[in-house]
């Protein structure tokens, strides 16, 4: 079945997805609550019915504004289900070809591909209204929130959700965006895509032939601690699921280093889209959906993970890496003795405490610098060790300047622990790296001019 699925994914019709995006864009701006969103929902429902799916339009009301979601179901061998969705509303005044008519086109064509193969689990395809509800100042992701609320007891059978956002740009790179959100169910904690969802999405897209990156094609490793350190303004419909305790993430081909220049503008038109780019995203989505459908149903948060080279390391591996990174510095301090040993020991305690509170940022801010300065025991090694936290701060500042960041997740205590830990790296440099005086053995050296004994 996997081989057949990959062949089907390879046949994803990017041209058809582009035609759907063009048809929706022709309606003009479609802000939540406008008659045009109703016309968009009717078009989407008619297209999804041609796949053989069971389609319904679900009306909802939130904060006095009405909207309509389109829900299409392809039954599987199990009532447990995966959700693949996008949104058909737009920001006020925006034509919304890229955000998110193209995402809807990908969802429709993904449904057509997956309808032609056996399914061990049910797959639900959704087009939500009100994702751009921020423009009302009343709520966010209104349609997907209404959908999640309407699941009620059926939410126990949800395996995971994948939202398809802003895609089809020729110059973009398909990535998955595991952004951290505030968790209303666990105040003070973050809600983020679980490790198992990331493994499935990355592995499934890779097997389909279009491997998704994580966050950014150039800054992927830095992106991961960044979204857990800084409050990112951007979001997708995964927000509604994650804040309800349900696993989800979203994908896009806009990234920090290459962001779509016509975002939320009237110039976001179909001529900016590319059929091949849509085919790349669609192929990745089909592969990811198939992999998600093979996951167990669980509500384990699995917040702590790190993705590298297409693979995902979970919390146990990260703790092991963090402890291992601290060892060289502690050993160097032990050999130096005295205050260097005390400084390195205190640094290790602070690092462990911060890792307990924020594992991934702590690895970047304290454990990685400890490893670098522990291996390179010279002053320039300490300056090299400061590069990871400085790069993280620079990315946050750049995000703030571009309006992508609104604050930080880490608290005052976390910041104090990080700053104190970094300051301790400077103390033991000379003592740990210096060469101790060699002890003299035998008679002392004669002063010049004195005769030697016979």
């Amino acid at each position: 079945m996997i081989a057949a699925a990959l062949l089907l994914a390879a046949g994803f019709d990017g041209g058809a997805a582009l035609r759907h995006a063009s048809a929706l864009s022709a309606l003009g701006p479609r802000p939540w609550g406008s008659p045009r969103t109703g016309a968009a929902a009717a078009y989407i429902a008619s297209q999804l019915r041609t796949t053989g799916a069971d389609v319904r339009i679900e009306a909802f009301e939130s904060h006095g504004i009405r909207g309509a979601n389109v829900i299409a179901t392809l039954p599987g061998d199990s009532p447990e289900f995966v959700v693949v969705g996008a949104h058909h509303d737009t920001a006020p005044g925006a034509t919304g070809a890229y955000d998110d008519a193209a995402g809807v086109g990908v969802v429709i064509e993904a449904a057509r591909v997956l309808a032609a193969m056996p399914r061990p689990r049910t797959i639900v395809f959704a087009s939500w209204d009100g994702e751009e509800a921020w423009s009302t100042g009343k709520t966010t992701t209104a349609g997907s929130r209404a959908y999640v609320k309407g699941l009620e007891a059926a939410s126990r059978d949800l395996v995971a959700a994948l939202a398809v956002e802003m895609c089809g740009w020729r110059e973009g790179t398909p990535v998955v965006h595991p952004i951290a959100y505030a968790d209303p169910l666990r105040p003070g904690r973050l809600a983020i895509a679980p490790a198992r969802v990331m493994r499935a999405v990355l592995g499934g897209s890779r097997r389909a032939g279009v491997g998704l990156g994580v966050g950014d094609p150039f800054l992927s490793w830095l992106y991961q601690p960044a979204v857990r350190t800084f409050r990112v303004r951007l979001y997708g419909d995964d927000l509604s699921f994650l804040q309800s305790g349900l696993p989800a993430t979203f994908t896009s081909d806009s990234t920090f280093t290459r962001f779509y220049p016509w975002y939320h503008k009237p110039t976001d038109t179909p001529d900016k889209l590319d059929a091949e780019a849509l085919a790349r995203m669609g192929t990745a989505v089909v592969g990811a959906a198939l992999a998600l459908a093979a996951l167990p149903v669980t509500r384990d948060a699995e917040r702590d993970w790190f993705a590298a080279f297409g693979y995902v390391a979970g919390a146990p591996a990260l703790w092991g890496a963090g402890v291992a990174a601290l060892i060289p510095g502690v050993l160097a301090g032990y050999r130096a003795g005295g205050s260097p040993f005390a400084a390195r020991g205190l640094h290790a305690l602070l690092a462990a405490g911060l890792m307990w509170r924020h594992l991934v940022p702590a690895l970047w801010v304290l454990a990685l610098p400890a490893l670098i300065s522990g291996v390179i025991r010279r002053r320039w090694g300490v300056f090299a060790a400061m590069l990871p936290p400085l790069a993280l701060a620079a990315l946050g500042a750049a995000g703030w300047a571009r309006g992508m960041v609104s604050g930080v997740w880490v608290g005052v205590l976390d910041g104090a622990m990080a700053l104190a830990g970094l300051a301790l790296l400077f103390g033991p440099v000379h003592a740990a790296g210096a060469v101790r005086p060699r002890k003299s053995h035998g008679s002392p050296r004669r002063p010049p001019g004195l005769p030697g004994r016979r």
Side-chain angles (χ1 to χ4, degrees), residues 226-274:
V227 295
R228 292 170 166 90
T229 303
F230 303 104
R231 295 177 180 262
V232 178
R233 290 181 180 273
L234 302 177
Y235 62 86
D237 278 301
D238 62 321
L239 172 67
S240 302
F241 292 86
L242 288 168
Q243 290 193 329
S244 298
L246 302 174
T249 192
F250 82 91
T251 184
S252 171
D253 59 22
S254 263
T255 63
F256 184 84
T257 55
R258 197 62 177 162
F259 197 80
Y260 186 67
W262 302 282
Y263 174 65
H264 283 182
K265 295 180 179 179
T267 47
D268 177 12
T269 50
D271 60 290
K272 311 297 193 309
L273 303 180
D274 177 68

Side-chain angles (χ1 to χ4, degrees), residues 181-215:
Y181 307 118
D183 189 345
L185 302 178
R186 304 171 186 83
R189 304 291 297 275
L190 301 180
I192 196 168
R196 65 184 179 280
V197 170
M198 291 300 299
R199 288 192 189 98
V201 170
L202 296 180
S205 64
R206 185 172 60 249
R207 289 189 293 273
V210 182
L212 292 169
V214 178

Side-chain angles (χ1 to χ4, degrees), residues 156-430:
R156 292 176 297 188
D157 291 328
L158 174 66
V159 179
L162 176 63
V164 185
E165 273 282 353
M166 304 195 308
C167 58
W169 183 31
R170 181 183 289 105
E171 298 181 39
T173 301
V175 297
V176 58
H177 278 293
I179 292 175
Y181 307 118
D183 189 345
L185 302 178
R186 304 171 186 83
R189 304 291 297 275
L190 301 180
I192 196 168
R196 65 184 179 280
V197 170
M198 291 300 299
R199 288 192 189 98
V201 170
L202 296 180
S205 64
R206 185 172 60 249
R207 289 189 293 273
V210 182
L212 292 169
V214 178
D216 191 277
F218 305 108
L219 302 174
S220 177
W221 289 15
L222 186 57
Y223 169 100
Q224 296 175 67
V227 295
R228 292 170 166 90
T229 303
F230 303 104
R231 295 177 180 262
V232 178
R233 290 181 180 273
L234 302 177
Y235 62 86
D237 278 301
D238 62 321
L239 172 67
S240 302
F241 292 86
L242 288 168
Q243 290 193 329
S244 298
L246 302 174
T249 192
F250 82 91
T251 184
S252 171
D253 59 22
S254 263
T255 63
F256 184 84
T257 55
R258 197 62 177 162
F259 197 80
Y260 186 67
W262 302 282
Y263 174 65
H264 283 182
K265 295 180 179 179
T267 47
D268 177 12
T269 50
D271 60 290
K272 311 297 193 309
L273 303 180
D274 177 68
E276 290 185 7
L278 287 167
R280 285 195 298 270
M281 180 60 77
T283 300
V285 166
V286 170
L290 290 168
L292 288 172
L295 289 178
V297 178
T298 176
R299 295 295 173 259
D300 291 343
E302 294 183 295
R303 295 181 185 87
D304 295 320
W305 52 265
F306 192 85
F309 308 112
Y311 298 92
V312 178
L318 296 184
W319 270 101
V323 171
L326 298 174
I327 291 175
V330 173
L331 290 177
Y334 175 76
R335 287 192 294 268
S339 60
F341 184 40
R344 283 293 179 163
L346 182 54
H347 175 278
L349 290 176
L350 288 170
L354 193 59
M355 285 164 61
W356 180 262
R357 294 170 63 83
H358 304 283
L359 181 53
V360 174
L363 289 173
W364 195 266
V365 172
L366 289 185
L368 183 56
L371 175 62
I372 295 171
S373 62
V375 172
I376 308 172
R377 296 193 300 275
R378 295 290 184 272
R379 180 166 296 280
W380 69 268
V382 173
F383 287 106
M386 294 300 295
L387 291 177
L390 288 176
L392 181 62
L395 183 60
W400 183 284
R402 293 173 60 177
M404 294 181 174
V405 169
S406 61
V408 295
W409 291 115
V410 295
V412 175
L413 175 61
D414 306 314
M417 292 170 67
L419 290 174
L422 290 173
L424 287 167
L425 292 178
F426 287 87
V429 173
H430 290 302

